[in-house]
Amino acid sequence: MRRTSVLFAALGAAAAGLGLAWACPFFAAPPFLAARTAGGDASAATIALGKALYAERCAACHGAKLEGQRDWKSPLPSGRMPAPPHDASGHTWHHPDGVLFRITREGPAAVVGGGYQSDMPGFGSIMSDDEIRAVLAFIKSTWPEQERQYQAEMTRRE
């Protein structure tokens, strides 16, 4: 019972944070971000850079094949959530570019707020904004067309 309530509390906090992200104008992606990453228009060089950075900075937790950690929908003993997959089986493609960028740059805890805790740090002091965009472009390049279109529409609405 306790595990279920922790899961629902974490999901509720995440939903509240995402609701804030869509409701507040200062959370919106800058126009250049949406223009550079929406619609899969990243260059091959950008995607290659993103793939290398992902392997170096993200794969240890999110998986070399973007598969995420085992049982990623169930809290760890610490109460924190495992790293989700970034492939089509996960939920990354449900979020607009601005949210993905902020989560990567600032970390999920800073974006979700409300006391949410995460093992994922923000990468803003480790990677430049362009490097973060390259990682996101790589991740997006691996999604099937339907997921890419859905995510592009979420970004357009942002």
Side-chain angles (χ1 to χ4, degrees):
M1 180 68 179
R2 183 172 182 266
R3 187 175 183 176
T4 302
S5 46
V6 169
L7 176 61
F8 284 123
L11 291 174
L18 290 174
L20 280 174
W22 281 308
C24 297
F26 62 89
F27 282 121
F32 69 87
L33 175 63
R36 291 175 101 174
T37 59
D41 62 355
S43 70
T46 297
I47 292 171
L49 173 62
K51 182 176 183 178
L53 290 167
Y54 178 90
E56 180 183 333
R57 307 267 187 217
C58 313
C61 294
H62 290 282
K65 296 179 182 174
L66 295 89
E67 72 274 15
Q69 292 177 331
R70 196 169 59 110
D71 295 330
W72 64 274
K73 293 181 182 180
S74 300
L76 299 166
S78 66
R80 295 177 180 190
M81 298 302 289
H86 289 312
D87 62 13
S89 73
H91 60 79
T92 306
W93 57 273
H94 294 177
H95 306 300
D97 286 347
V99 172
L100 296 176
F101 182 82
R102 287 195 62 234
I103 287 172
T104 308
R105 187 206 282 153
E106 300 168 27
V111 175
V112 173
Y116 181 80
Q117 295 184 354
S118 174
D119 289 331
M120 181 178 157
F123 285 87
S125 63
I126 299 168
M127 293 193 290
S128 71
D129 288 356
D130 283 340
E131 289 174 326
I132 291 170
R133 284 190 283 276
V135 169
L136 295 174
F138 161 67
I139 291 169
K140 290 165 58 171
S141 76
T142 69
W143 297 336
E145 184 63 27
Q146 183 175 350
E147 284 76 4
R148 282 196 310 261
Q149 286 179 1
Y150 178 90
Q151 196 275 335
E153 177 61 21
M154 296 304 294
T155 297
R156 188 191 66 73
R157 292 180 185 181
E158 185 180 41

